[in-house]
């Protein structure tokens, strides 16, 4: 498995990952690097820090909870976890033993890098020709499902603990189903059924904008409309 593809697939779960789930999904490899709220949505303060995880102790049903231990980094260097209060930092820059990482079992952790080798099988990352091994589409290839039920693919990426895929590959395949509507094409549904895209653009542009924002299977060639 390509490391970068595995990292991208795992991070495709968005804010669902904990340090514990990252540990399992990378085949219990240690150490690894993780970052919480890397896009800074909670605070820009998160964007310049990460942890290097050296030990994980899962517990609870299915091992979904537990503790993780490691070192704290800021701006790429070992640092005191609390910049303005080094004495009370959960991890100090001079610590030589991995320290308990706060919120390790909570969500919102993203995988940055895998430094150690896997000691178990990493999570399966489905390719287009792989057959699904669970759920209502079990036995179908990922490619088949993309073309027949893309809504399920979106749901599985967001919600299923067992489904990981190459997001770029999936999106590229889905684009093959997307029709590009031109100005003279006629709408086949809704309140303007039978009217051209140009007619709707000229008479109800807000409706056309709403349609484009919510469309799954088509796009409108806006460049041709505005010429």
């Amino acid at each position: 498995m390509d490391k970068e593809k595995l990292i991208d697939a795992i991070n495709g779960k968005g804010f669902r990952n904990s340090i514990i789930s990252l540990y399992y999904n990378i085949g219990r490899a240690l150490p690894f690097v993780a970052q919480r709220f890397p896009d800074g949505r909670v605070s820009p303060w998160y964007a310049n820090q990460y942890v290097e995880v050296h030990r994980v102790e899962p517990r609870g049903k299915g091992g979904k909870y537990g503790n993780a231990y490691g070192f704290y980094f800021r701006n790429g260097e070992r640092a005191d976890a609390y910049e303005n209060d080094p004495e009370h930092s959960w991890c100090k820059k001079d610590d030589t033993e991995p320290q308990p990482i706060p919120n390790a079992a909570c969500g919102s952790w993203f995988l940055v890098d895998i430094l150690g080798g896997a000691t178990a099988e990493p999570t399966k990352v489905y390719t287009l020709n792989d057959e699904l091994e669970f759920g209502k589409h079990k036995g179908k290839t990922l490619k088949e499902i993309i073309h027949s039920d893309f809504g399920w693919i979106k749901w599985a990426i967001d919600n299923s603990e067992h489904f990981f895929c190459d997001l770029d590959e999936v999106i590229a395949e889905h684009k093959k189903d997307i029709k590009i509507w031109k100005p003279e094409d006629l709408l086949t549904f809704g309140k303007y059924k039978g009217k051209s895209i140009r007619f709707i653009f000229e008479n109800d542009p807000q409706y056309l904008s709403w349609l484009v924002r919510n469309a799954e299977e088509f796009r409108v060639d806006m460049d041709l409309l505005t010429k």
Side-chain angles (χ1 to χ4, degrees):
M1 167 58 63
D2 180 275
K3 183 173 77 169
E4 294 306 318
K5 284 192 174 184
L6 177 62
I7 290 173
D8 288 344
I10 290 172
N11 288 337
K13 293 296 182 185
F15 290 90
R16 293 177 59 86
N17 290 314
S18 68
I19 285 182
I20 313 301
S21 66
L22 293 178
Y23 170 68
Y24 282 121
N25 286 327
I26 62 176
R28 303 179 186 180
L30 289 169
F32 64 91
V33 179
Q35 187 176 28
R36 201 166 190 221
F37 302 117
D39 62 356
R41 67 176 55 194
V42 172
S43 167
W45 175 75
Y46 282 94
N48 66 354
Q49 62 178 336
Y50 62 83
V51 296
E52 192 174 276
V53 183
H54 283 255
R55 189 166 86 249
V56 176
E57 297 177 351
R59 60 177 172 78
K61 186 177 181 180
K64 291 185 177 181
Y65 306 100
N67 301 310
Y69 302 81
F71 300 106
Y72 175 85
F73 288 75
R74 187 187 301 113
N75 296 321
E77 298 180 352
R78 284 287 308 275
D80 297 316
Y82 303 141
E83 188 173 11
N84 298 319
D85 189 9
E87 183 62 28
H88 295 95
S89 294
W90 66 264
C91 183
K92 301 180 179 64
K93 63 182 177 181
D94 296 327
D95 284 333
T96 58
E97 292 297 320
Q99 300 298 306
I101 300 171
N103 305 305
C106 298
S108 306
W109 288 94
F110 282 70
L111 183 61
V112 178
D113 199 4
I114 305 169
L115 305 178
T119 59
E121 189 68 25
T123 192
K124 180 180 178 64
V125 178
Y126 283 90
T127 64
L128 294 179
N129 294 316
D130 285 334
E131 293 184 356
L132 215 63
E133 299 170 354
F134 67 95
K136 72 173 187 177
H137 291 299
K138 183 177 180 180
K140 295 181 181 178
T141 66
L142 180 57
K143 182 185 290 187
E144 289 177 305
I145 305 167
I146 290 170
H147 295 301
S148 66
D149 193 357
F150 188 68
W152 184 90
I153 296 289
K154 291 173 61 179
W155 173 87
I157 290 170
D158 290 337
N159 297 284
S160 174
E161 295 182 8
H162 309 291
F163 181 73
F164 296 84
C165 62
D166 184 326
L167 296 178
D168 291 337
E169 193 175 57
V170 167
I171 291 170
E173 189 67 23
H174 175 57
K175 283 182 178 179
K176 296 178 182 179
D177 292 330
I178 297 176
K179 179 180 178 181
I180 306 300
W181 282 3
K182 297 178 180 177
E184 306 313 318
D185 286 336
L186 303 181
L187 200 65
T188 58
F189 59 87
K191 69 177 183 177
Y192 287 111
K193 181 177 180 180
K195 299 293 185 182
S196 71
I197 299 301
R198 185 180 299 281
F199 175 88
I200 303 169
F201 175 71
E202 293 174 348
N203 291 274
D204 195 347
Q206 288 185 333
Y207 178 79
L208 185 61
S209 295
W210 174 86
L211 206 60
V212 170
R213 285 197 308 272
N214 292 277
E216 288 281 346
E217 306 302 335
F218 68 86
R219 296 287 184 271
V220 174
D221 191 331
M222 299 301 293
D223 290 338
L224 288 177
L225 276 174
T226 54
K227 283 184 178 179

